[in-house]
Structure formats: C-alpha cells, structure tokens
Amino acid sequence: MTLHPPGFWWRPPGLAAALLAPVGAAIGALTLRRMTQRGEEVPIPVLCIGNPTVGGAGKTPTALWYLDRLTSTGGRPFALLRGHGGAVSAPLRVDLARDDADAVGDEALLLARHAPTVVAGGDRAGGARLAVAAGATHLVMDDGFQNPSLAKDASLLVVDAMVGIGNGAVLPAGPLRAPLAPQISRADAVLLVGEGAAGDAVARIAERLGRTVLRARLAPSPEAVAALRGRRLHAFAGIGRPQKFFATLEREGLDLIARTAFPDHHRFRRGDIEALARAAARDGATLVTTAKDMARLGTAELKDLQAEIAVLPVSLAPQEPAALDALLRRAEARAQARQAGC
C-alpha cells in the first residue's frame, strides 16, 4: 500500500513532529549505526545515487544520466536497485519483454531502457555479484545509500531544492531517513535538483561539512512538449511530489485544466484510469502523465489503456556536467585502489 506523506513533514516543526520525535530519534540512530557496517566489495566501481529523505528527489534521472554517460564512452554499466513497488526479492535481471512494474517496480523499467542490464531485488550484494559475473564494468545504484550490504566507491545525495528536507525531522516525525549532517558526511557530494531556499539551506550545511555541492534541473523533452502544445490537458501522477510534475507542465506554457495526484508508487487499477479518462473526455482534454507512471501502466490489466495517455519524459540537465564526471572518476580511482590493495 502507498500513502501520501503527511503534510506536517513540509511545515515548520509542530506538535505532531514533536510527539513523534522520540520514535524518529530511535530510527535515525539505528539507521546511522547500520550505515557504519562494512559492506561486501566487488571488483568494479560502485556509484550510489541516494537521497537523505524518503520520496522522490531526482535519483532515477540522475542514475539515467550516468548510465547514458558510461554507455556513450564504451562502458557496460549495470543499474542496481531494490525494485520498490515490485514483488521481486532475490536478484533478478530485468527483461522488458517479460517484466512489468508489478514484478520489478517502475524505476527498474525506466532504467532498463538505458542500461545494458538492470538488476532488481532487495539483496544488493547478491545483485552486484550477479552483475559482475555478467560482465558489468560499473554499477550505478539507484537508491541504497543507507543500505550497508554493498560497499560504495562514491555516493551522491540528491535533494529536491524546492522542499529540501522539509521540517528537518527523522521519519515518522519528518521525511529524513536519518539525521542530515551524518548522512552528508558519509557522501561525496550533494546534488540539488531545481531551485529553492530549502535547497540552499541544505547546500550551506554540505559546504560547512566540506562536501561538494552540485546543481541541476529536470528538463522536459522538447518533442513531447511540442506534441502537447495546443491541447487541453488533464495531468495525473503518482510520484514523490506530483505538484512538481504539474508545475513543469505549467512552466512550459501548456494548457493544464485539471490535476490528479496519487501517492508515490501508486499501483494503478483499471478503475483509476477509466475514471480519469471519463473526466478528461467530459472536458475535451488529453490525459498526460510522467514516464515513471507510464511504466506502471504497462501491466496486463492496463496495457490497452496506454494508447490514450500522453507522457512527458524529463532528463537531468546538470549545470556542471564535468563535476558529475569527476565524481565518477573518483569512484573508478577508489575501486582501482581497492583492487590494488587486495
């Protein structure tokens, strides 16, 4: 089951956050203790794209950027992720012809269109071994920063600059997975996606801790925007922050007449889409959603409904691509040093 994050997470700390703070303190301490455990090492570079909070921040577009970068320079990168929302548990090589979001999760399907192979499953160390045996040159982890089972050679924390870390509390009192400063201290850099004072506050903390701060935005596909121009649009999304998707459509000057938000990783049912289609038809509108949501519409139950839904893909547009490349080089150098020390 997927749930909307509580509204008080994104407001200044109040009574609800205070009441839940002791639970958050215990969860945060446990998470930080787990993060100090030594993970299994593999003989290829491991780059982890994580975030300090729960919910969407831009990890998957960042992982896609690295996968495309590595592939274009002759590498054979494998993507490694848990497969959130899918039924997979043991490591599984994702097959676009066989697997759907119910099996492996929506992010795995998106990544599988860019990486030679995607390995999904909760056993990240086992997934890494599988990737190495299959000839991977690099591992790009989508999430897993707080998971200690696999040693990382470099880690990048991604933060949505519009909302930052919300009320700054650890879940369930707030959106943080653990206290912020210790998380940043264990990362190599912080990537702020978008703009906002909340992100600037995170940047100041990272800089005080001596960590590199990078910036990027999510750029919608120009071709998709052109195809949507002139249409009345009913947008729907079940991502970490659906409002970010709606704002993107409006920023492009598109005619957005209705918005429907679902919880993150929402498992769409036929009734959901048929209700949306009826509402759009009444308004003479076209349904439009995100690439991640469209991946979840590829199940056998819903596949026939996809044709009437437009999709707006986005990609990461970093301000300084060379700085992201430098982080990859750091991961490669550390992996090489690890192997030399064996």
Side-chain angles (χ1 to χ4, degrees):
M1 181 174 67
T2 52
L3 298 172
H4 285 292
F8 71 82
W9 279 9
W10 312 108
R11 296 192 293 267
L15 179 61
L19 291 174
L20 292 170
V23 181
I27 290 175
L30 179 62
T31 300
L32 291 177
R33 191 177 309 122
R34 289 181 67 242
M35 290 174 67
T36 63
Q37 297 173 12
R38 185 179 179 86
E40 182 175 330
E41 296 180 353
V42 291
I44 59 175
V46 178
L47 174 62
C48 179
I49 314 298
N51 65 346
T53 62
V54 297
K59 295 188 307 298
T60 299
T62 305
L64 287 170
W65 188 90
Y66 275 111
L67 291 166
D68 286 341
R69 202 74 157 182
L70 284 163
T71 302
S72 68
T73 54
R76 193 164 187 258
F78 279 37
L80 179 66
L81 75 168
R82 177 179 136 198
H84 186 84
V88 63
S89 55
L92 173 74
R93 294 179 67 170
V94 176
D95 182 345
L96 286 172
R98 176 196 66 203
D99 299 318
D100 61 19
D102 284 348
V104 298
D106 46 20
E107 288 118 339
L109 299 180
L110 288 180
L111 292 168
R113 298 186 175 99
H114 293 255
T117 298
V118 173
V119 177
D123 179 4
R124 289 180 174 87
R129 292 193 298 271
L130 188 157
V132 170
T137 61
H138 299 74
L139 274 175
V140 177
M141 295 180 66
D142 183 341
D143 210 359
F145 176 74
Q146 292 82 11
N147 186 302
S149 62
L150 180 64
K152 294 94 171 173
D153 293 300
S155 294
L156 177 65
L157 283 179
V158 183
V159 176
D160 181 340
M162 181 60 69
V163 296
I165 58 168
N167 63 10
V170 176
L171 61 87
L176 280 170
R177 303 184 192 215
L180 180 64
Q183 291 196 77
I184 291 178
S185 294
R186 296 187 65 83
D188 293 273
V190 173
L191 176 66
L192 299 176
V193 178
E195 298 179 355
D200 294 339
V202 174
R204 289 191 290 272
I205 295 170
E207 288 165 347
R208 284 200 300 269
L209 293 169
R211 294 299 180 264
T212 301
V213 175
L214 308 173
R215 294 182 182 268
R217 63 185 178 89
L218 295 180
S221 160
E223 295 80 10
V225 170
L228 294 171
R229 205 169 295 286
R231 301 197 214 178
R232 291 160 60 84
L233 301 176
H234 182 149
F236 70 96
I239 56 176
R241 278 212 310 123
Q243 295 77 13
K244 184 162 58 173
F245 173 58
F246 305 150
T248 297
L249 293 164
E250 292 176 325
R251 193 164 52 245
E252 293 298 322
L254 298 173
D255 186 11
L256 184 59
I257 66 163
R259 308 159 183 78
T260 302
F262 293 91
D264 194 15
H265 296 287
H266 179 69
R267 183 170 291 186
F268 292 105
R269 295 306 181 197
R270 194 171 188 89
D272 295 329
I273 306 305
E274 288 177 341
L276 287 168
R278 286 193 297 270
R282 283 195 302 268
D283 296 329
T286 297
L287 289 175
V288 60
T289 193
T290 70
K292 186 177 286 190
D293 287 294
M294 186 62 89
R296 266 177 278 129
L297 296 174
T299 61
E301 179 189 7
L302 302 172
K303 204 170 186 66
D304 63 304
L305 301 176
Q306 284 184 309
E308 300 304 315
I309 302 171
V311 62
L312 182 68
V314 297
S315 59
L316 190 78
Q319 284 187 6
E320 300 178 61
L324 286 178
D325 278 334
L327 185 62
L328 179 58
R329 302 286 88 81
R330 186 181 304 177
E332 292 172 337
R334 287 174 177 170
Q336 186 175 25
R338 277 196 295 104
Q339 291 307 299
C342 288

